[in-house]
Amino acid sequence: MTAPRVVLVGPPGSGKTTVGGVLAERLGTTVRDTDTDVERAAGRAISDIFVERGEAHFRALEAEAVRAALSEHDGVVALGGGAVLDAGTRALLAPLPVVFLQVAMADAIRRVGLDSARPLLAVNPRQQWRTLMEARRPLYEEVASTVIDTEGLTPEEVAQAIVDAMELTAA
C-alpha cells in the first residue's frame, strides 16, 4: 500500500494548497489536493456542488477523494478544510504523518477574503470561520502528529518548519 509522506490539514485559509506545493517541491515529490480531486471527479466547482446538491453530497464525494488520495499518493496530500469531520477519514489519518496548519483568524480571512468559492464562508466570514474552528479544532488536533503555527510565516517558512519538525529529508 502506498502512503503519503505528509498530509496537511487545517481550516480554509491556512495555506494547505500553497504550502503543499512548496513542501512537495522541497521533498522532490508531488502534491495532491483533495478539493481539486473532488472538482475534477464531479466536473464542477465545490461551490456549485454545495448549491446544486448540498453539503452532504459534497462530504460524500470528499470522503471518497480522501480515501483515494491517502491510498494512492506517496507525496504530499492537502485535505479540504472539512475532511476531518468524517470519522472514517480520521481513522485513515491515525497512522499517517499529519500536520495541522494552525492559522490566526485575521490571516485566514485575509487569504480567503470574501471568496464565494468557499461556500461555508460566504456569509459573515469572520463569524463563520470562528464557528468552523470551534467545531473543527479538536478534530485537527486529534489527527495531527505535528502542529505548525503559520502566523507571520511565508509558505516557504512553513514548509521548512514542517521539514524540521517532522525530520523529513529534503530533495
Side-chain angles (χ1 to χ4, degrees):
M1 180 176 151
T2 299
R5 287 193 64 191
V6 179
V7 179
L8 302 177
V9 299
S14 62
K16 297 176 301 289
T17 301
T18 303
V19 169
V22 173
L23 181 61
E25 185 175 319
R26 194 159 289 183
L27 297 176
T29 188
T30 58
V31 64
R32 183 162 171 179
D33 186 309
T34 60
D35 280 349
T36 301
D37 290 351
V38 168
E39 289 183 335
R40 189 174 297 124
R44 57 184 28 90
I46 289 171
S47 56
D48 292 339
I49 297 168
F50 264 80
V51 169
E52 296 165 12
R53 303 291 304 274
E55 184 175 0
H57 180 73
F58 167 73
R59 294 293 173 205
L61 295 174
E62 179 178 56
E64 181 53 41
V66 169
R67 277 191 292 282
L70 296 179
S71 67
E72 298 168 1
H73 191 71
D74 63 359
V76 176
V77 175
L79 299 189
V84 297
L85 296 170
D86 181 75
T89 292
R90 292 194 307 277
L92 291 173
L93 292 173
L96 299 175
V98 178
V99 177
F100 166 27
L101 297 181
Q102 188 168 274
V103 61
M105 180 175 61
D107 288 341
I109 297 301
R110 188 184 73 251
R111 292 174 188 164
V112 173
L114 302 176
D115 186 350
S116 62
R118 298 184 191 252
L120 294 180
L121 297 179
V123 178
N124 192 352
R126 283 178 177 74
Q127 182 57 45
Q128 291 300 327
W129 194 88
R130 188 176 293 115
T131 301
L132 286 177
M133 281 306 294
E134 286 172 6
R136 295 178 184 177
R137 180 180 305 282
L139 302 176
Y140 294 138
E141 291 172 347
E142 173 188 326
V143 301
S145 39
T146 302
V147 177
I148 300 293
D149 186 348
T150 66
E151 188 168 2
L153 300 179
T154 66
E156 292 75 17
E157 291 168 332
V158 174
Q160 189 59 50
I162 294 168
V163 168
D164 294 346
M166 300 192 78
E167 300 178 349
L168 300 169
T169 306

